[in-house]
Every structure is written in C-alpha cells, then in structure tokens.
Amino acid sequence: MVDVIAKAQMGEVVWAQLDKDADLYDEIMDICRREEIRSGIVLNIVGGLSKARLSMPVQSTGADAQPGILELDGMMEAQGIGTIGYSVDTYDASAKSGIVYHAGEPNLHIHMTITHEGKSYMGHLLQGCTVRSLHPRSHFTIVLAKTPGALLNFRVSEETTAAYPNGIPIHDLVED
C-alpha cells in the first residue's frame, strides 16, 4: 500500500547543453541553484562521457549493504533519469559509496546507465562524470522540469545499522 502521495504540477522545463570536459553532477547542481529548482525531475540525460563514477553494487553483498564505487575511463555513452529534491540533512558516505549531500542544497537522485567497452552499468550519478566531445560545446544534453506542489526532502534517520552507523538515508515525500 502506498503511504504518501503528493500531487505536483509539471512546471517550467529547463534544457541545457553541456561543455566539453564539464562535470555532469556539478553542472546539474549549478543549474538547480541558478534556476531555483527545489523540486523537480530529470526527464533526460543523454551524451558521451570520457570518465564515469557511479555508486552501485560492485560486489555481491547483503541487501542492507552500502553500494560501492565504479570508475571507468574511455569512450562511453550515457543516459539518465531521476529526481531533484532538497537536502534537509548532511550525509557523507564518500569513502564507501561516493554519495555526499549537504544540508540546504539540492538533492540529486539520478540513475545513470553507462555503456563502456560493450558492457552496460547502472548506478547513482556521482561527481567525476566528465563530458566527452570533439567540439568545445558538446551534444551532451540534459532536460530538467520543475514540479511545484511536491517536495522530496532528503534526511538521515535516527535509526542506525552496522552498514549505516550514522543513520540511514531516506527521501521524505511531502506536499509543498
């Protein structure tokens, strides 16, 4: 059963074309700050990368384990979708999963699919994904949409586990 439903409107849609060698994560964060996107969806991410960093299961572990980090170099194709929320709490799991959120900042929860050397990988977007292009302005394009009415707050729970000694990360959906 669904516990929480928050209704939102599809608002302004923001398109961006990224520059060669730009960091994908940093560019999306900058756009969210500049365009004041507190609640939104990542409708599409598509383009080439020369470096990729994903937070994902990198080895077989239990269901409650933290993900690890996969780093790739070379020619890659990428696509992604996700949500944009607001970080209420600070969370730093950079050593294990690479995921870091800062209170008062946008919260990106973006799943990326990367194809590299004939293999495909899917995980959370991290800093360190570098746009690949033969031209100064790449064809790497992202499309974001504002969604006023609903807000996805990132929090850290008071409950802890051995894998999450500082609290379990949660997304709290609320009507805005």
Side-chain angles (χ1 to χ4, degrees), residues 117-133:
E117 296 180 350
K119 296 179 183 173
S120 293
Y121 305 91
M122 197 279 291
H124 291 89
L125 172 66
L126 298 175
Q127 281 182 308
C129 290
T130 305
V131 172
R132 174 183 61 84
S133 179

Side-chain angles (χ1 to χ4, degrees), residues 71 75 157 169:
E71 295 187 7
M75 186 172 83
S157 73

Side-chain angles (χ1 to χ4, degrees), residues 19-123:
D19 290 334
K20 175 183 179 178
D21 299 326
D23 184 286
L24 178 58
Y25 185 93
D26 290 343
E27 293 296 312
I28 297 171
M29 286 291 285
D30 184 55
I31 292 165
C32 289
R33 289 182 196 110
R34 189 172 61 218
E35 299 298 320
E36 299 179 358
I37 302 174
R38 256 179 74 95
S39 173
I41 53 177
V42 178
L43 295 170
N44 192 32
I45 295 174
V46 65
L49 296 173
S50 59
K51 291 185 180 199
R53 287 185 78 234
L54 300 176
S55 177
M56 59 181 279
V58 292
Q59 57 187 341
S60 180
T61 59
D64 63 344
Q66 285 194 31
I69 300 170
L70 176 69
E71 295 187 7
L72 302 168
D73 288 304
M75 186 172 83
M76 289 168 263
E77 289 295 321
Q79 70 174 28
I81 58 171
T83 59
I84 302 166
Y86 180 74
S87 294
V88 174
D89 297 328
T90 294
Y91 178 77
D92 187 346
S94 55
K96 278 216 174 239
S97 68
I99 296 173
V100 178
Y101 299 130
H102 299 283
E105 290 285 329
N107 178 272
L108 303 181
H109 188 178
I110 299 171
H111 285 205
M112 296 289 297
T113 301
I114 308 291
T115 300
H116 177 261
E117 296 180 350
K119 296 179 183 173
S120 293
Y121 305 91
M122 197 279 291

